[in-house]
Amino acid sequence: MMNISFRTLLSGLLATTLAVPLLAQADSRQGMAERLAERLAVNGQPMPVQSVSETPVAGFFEVHLETGERFYSDAEGRHFLVGDLYENGDQGLVNLTEQGRNGERAARLAEVPEAERVIFRGAGESRAEVVVFTDTTCPYCRQLHEEVPRLNEMGIEVHYLAFPRTGMNAQGARTLQQIWCDANPSEAMSAAKRQESLSGAADCDNPVEAQYHLGLELGVQGTPAIVMPDGRLVPGYVPAERLAAMLGIEG
């Protein structure tokens, strides 16, 4: 896998010549997408294509790179469009690109086992689940944590994943590692959110760094970052009642 940035490849290029032959017009759109994925290159360098999928726009395909970047290309790979694709429908503008991101985000998070999450559940029936990328050094994360009991009362589970916002070499990352290493990580999480010092070890086999990189891949730029069940990313603090309304739950 090449760690190559799409924008870096395009930087300074006034004209792009791609090593993609003209595809036969008889090819199906699926066949054209597969061929594009196999042969897409810039300046003779193969691009790190993760997938190519059809779009509602005839002749254009969405290219998803292994770096997480997306762009649109014609079937021959000669013309690129960078940005989000919108549909202008009866209900207004719909961001089709973001819808795709949401689905992939939800699928990736579904792969994270419960054993690697710090989970807060209420005593009653679960009505919804949100995943929150958190950092105990973040004031708004602490504010959101104060809302967790109310969320649990309304049947909303809160599943924490680690996202040390200043990187893996900061004290915040060590504190998160201590939480995940603790015999009772939920209690350790609450203590850290109260700004209490933790004395436990931080050197166990823990998922903090993997979750940090997962967050970056999924578009997390700060904390708290709330991911809804459908994969929508909601950045920042949201009060319990408003979050419940966004989930279609009445308090």
Side-chain angles (χ1 to χ4, degrees), residues 9-67:
L9 283 171
L10 292 187
S11 177
L13 294 178
L14 298 179
T16 302
T17 302
L18 301 180
V20 182
L22 181 64
L23 301 177
Q25 293 184 1
D27 279 1
S28 67
R29 294 194 74 194
Q30 181 60 34
M32 295 165 72
E34 293 173 356
R35 191 79 60 85
L36 184 63
E38 293 172 358
R39 304 187 181 184
L40 192 58
V42 171
N43 273 1
Q45 299 183 53
M47 299 192 76
V49 176
Q50 178 171 305
S51 64
V52 174
S53 56
E54 300 178 37
T55 75
V57 181
F60 267 80
F61 299 85
E62 182 180 58
V63 180
H64 186 194
L65 301 182
E66 294 173 355
T67 58

Side-chain angles (χ1 to χ4, degrees), residues 162-164 168 172-173 176-178 180 206-213:
F163 191 83
M168 287 304 302
L176 290 168
Q177 289 172 326
Q178 287 177 292
W180 261 261
N206 65 80
V208 170
E209 184 169 4
Q211 291 180 4
Y212 172 62
H213 289 294

Side-chain angles (χ1 to χ4, degrees), residues 105-106 108-110 112 116-118 130-136 138 140-142 144 158-165 176 180 189 193 207-228 231-237:
R105 195 179 289 124
R108 290 297 309 279
L109 291 177
V112 180
E116 295 182 1
R117 307 176 180 206
V118 178
V130 294
V131 175
V132 181
F133 285 89
T134 194
D135 182 347
T136 60
C138 158
Y140 288 108
C141 293
R142 295 195 289 267
L144 178 62
V158 177
H159 292 223
Y160 280 124
L161 298 184
F163 191 83
R165 57 194 179 127
L176 290 168
W180 261 261
M189 177 70 76
K193 291 287 178 76
V208 170
E209 184 169 4
Q211 291 180 4
Y212 172 62
H213 289 294
L214 175 62
L216 292 174
E217 181 183 335
L218 298 183
V220 175
Q221 298 180 340
T223 54
I226 304 169
V227 184
M228 308 293 270
R232 281 178 295 155
L233 179 62
V234 180
Y237 163 73

Side-chain angles (χ1 to χ4, degrees), residues 69-82:
E69 294 168 292
R70 299 167 185 265
F71 63 97
Y72 297 92
S73 172
D74 65 359
E76 297 180 15
R78 294 190 179 278
H79 299 92
F80 294 160
L81 290 174
V82 181

